[in-house]
């Protein structure tokens, strides 16, 4: 585990947090855990209830719906927000393709950070709009 100030510097370089003040970053750091994940681990399983949000610090993951791969995710990208926001089942499976370091926020911490860090809420909404746009484009392209 890195030192606290190094961890804050690391978070400040993550695009999701780039508009955050130092105080807001401290809120995120306090609410989150950094976790090492071995390659091959299923982090999120389609259809299951979900209680965590993940942000990738290092490494890569695949997003799959059924057997079909729908996205690749890498450092700075995140997943698991949908089930936390609408309390529905996980919309896809996410598997670690490599060893990974992820930042994990539990449901309550995620909700707290969204309330306290508006810049992060805006970025999450932007990403959701982009994913919806991409998914519509794919659905109507054939
Ligand atoms: P959630 O439904 O909680 O769990 C699966 C996650 O996969 C989902 O949240 C999103 O974070 C992510 N996800 C779902 N669909 C896509 C997509 N089309 N592109 C990238 N990520 C996705």
């Amino acid at each position: 585990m890195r030192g606290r100030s190094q961890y804050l510097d690391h978070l400040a370089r993550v695009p999701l947090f780039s508009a955050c003040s130092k105080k807001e970053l401290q809120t995120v750091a306090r609410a989150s855990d950094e976790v090492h994940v071995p390659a091959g681990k299923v982090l999120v399983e389609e259809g299951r209830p979900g209680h965590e949000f993940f942000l990738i610090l290092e490494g890569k993951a695949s997003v799959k719906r059924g057997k079909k791969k729908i996205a690749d995710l890498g450092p700075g990208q995140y997943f698991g927000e949908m089930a936390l926001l609408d309390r529905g089942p996980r919309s896809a499976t996410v598997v670690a393709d490599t060893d990974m370091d992820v930042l994990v926020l539990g449901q309550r911490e995620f909700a707290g950070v969204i309330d306290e860090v508006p810049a992060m809420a805006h970025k999450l909404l932007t990403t959701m709009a982009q994913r919806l746009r991409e998914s519509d484009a794919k659905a109507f392209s054939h």
Side-chain angles (χ1 to χ4, degrees), residues 44-46 48-54 62-65 70-73 77-86 88-94 127-128 130-132 134-135 138:
V44 158
E45 207 174 337
E46 183 177 357
R48 302 288 297 267
H51 305 288
E52 285 143 340
F53 168 80
F54 301 84
S62 294
V63 183
K64 295 175 185 166
R65 197 162 291 144
I70 55 171
D72 283 307
L73 301 177
Q77 293 182 297
Y78 41 86
F79 56 92
E81 75 292 353
M82 290 172 61
L84 298 196
L85 290 168
D86 71 357
R90 294 295 196 190
S91 60
T93 294
V94 183
T127 301
M128 291 223 292
Q130 285 165 344
R131 286 178 182 171
L132 181 61
E134 278 167 26
S135 139
K138 275 184 201 150

Side-chain angles (χ1 to χ4, degrees), residues 15-21 24 78 113-126:
L16 179 61
F17 306 130
S18 60
C20 292
S21 66
E24 289 173 330
Y78 41 86
V113 167
I114 285 192
D115 287 346
E116 286 171 43
V117 187
M120 180 174 143
H122 281 218
K123 292 204 174 194
L124 281 169
L125 284 171
T126 304

Side-chain angles (χ1 to χ4, degrees), residues 94-112:
V94 183
V95 190
D97 288 333
T98 63
D99 281 9
M100 301 177 76
D101 289 321
V102 293
L103 184 147
V104 185
L105 280 165
Q107 190 147 20
R108 187 196 304 235
E109 291 74 20
F110 179 73

